[in-house]
Amino acid sequence: MNKKGFTLIEIIVAIGILSLVSVGTMFAITLSLSSAARIKNNLIAASLAQEGLEIARNIRDRDWHLGSSFGASLANGTYIVDWNLQSLAVFSDSFLKIDSNGLYNYSSGQDTIFKRKIIIENSAQNSAAIERVAKVEISWTEKSGPKLIQAELHLFNWR
């Protein structure tokens, strides 16, 4: 039996097995990185939605502290809002920006992939003097297509 030929076959088989393992490993790494990016975007979107709801709640509370009637600054409509503003602005279909401090806003910084829409409407169950509904929609686009996260907050006149 020729041992040189057998060694050559072993090397070819070993290279083939190593290639398959390498391709599988690279596929797993690629899949993990894309999953991490999707999870990161979902987390950012959920945080932006929560922030939008908290801002709506703060506007309601500010009205009470100023002695205004319930919902005075929360008229029905579609709006945008920045974290550092005390009022809602008319909705414009524009992207949020992220500034050098890592804060999302509409005025300064680098464009992101996220858009935030805040919808204020009367409750279907109670009158506008008792309950308002704030809805937040965060939208963005990934390689797999458009994404949307929605959150809702019911604001009550408990005063």
Side-chain angles (χ1 to χ4, degrees):
M1 204 174 192
N2 187 353
K3 295 215 178 219
K4 288 182 182 179
F6 189 68
T7 305
L8 182 60
I9 292 172
E10 287 177 338
I11 291 173
I12 291 172
V13 169
I15 289 174
I17 291 171
L18 187 60
S19 297
L20 288 174
V21 169
S22 297
V23 167
T25 303
M26 294 303 279
F27 178 74
I29 289 171
T30 303
L31 189 62
S32 295
L33 290 174
S34 73
S35 293
R38 280 194 310 273
I39 291 168
K40 176 186 171 191
N41 288 341
N42 283 340
L43 181 62
I44 291 170
S47 297
L48 289 170
Q50 181 66 35
E51 179 184 60
L53 295 177
E54 292 295 330
I55 292 169
R57 181 180 289 124
N58 287 339
I59 291 171
R60 178 209 50 193
D61 293 349
R62 183 175 156 268
D63 279 351
W64 281 340
H65 289 293
L66 295 175
S68 301
S69 62
F70 173 71
S73 297
L74 294 171
N76 290 347
T78 305
Y79 302 97
I80 61 170
V81 68
D82 274 343
W83 64 271
N84 60 349
L85 298 178
Q86 292 294 318
S87 63
L88 301 170
V90 176
F91 178 72
S92 63
D93 196 25
S94 56
F95 290 99
L96 282 161
K97 300 176 185 301
I98 187 166
D99 66 15
S100 59
N101 295 320
L103 301 173
Y104 289 82
N105 64 78
Y106 287 100
S107 56
S108 66
Q110 187 176 18
D111 281 344
T112 66
I113 60 173
F114 300 101
K115 293 181 181 182
R116 176 168 53 196
K117 180 191 313 185
I118 298 178
I119 303 160
I120 306 294
E121 55 190 26
N122 294 334
S123 169
Q125 298 160 342
N126 296 308
S127 72
I130 297 172
E131 180 183 9
R132 290 282 172 95
V133 179
K135 297 177 182 178
V136 176
E137 295 180 354
I138 307 297
S139 60
W140 72 101
T141 302
E142 293 180 350
K143 290 180 184 176
S144 60
K147 303 292 180 190
L148 178 70
I149 286 184
Q150 298 174 316
E152 185 174 300
L153 172 68
H154 292 255
L155 300 166
F156 292 92
N157 185 3
W158 51 267
R159 190 158 85 156

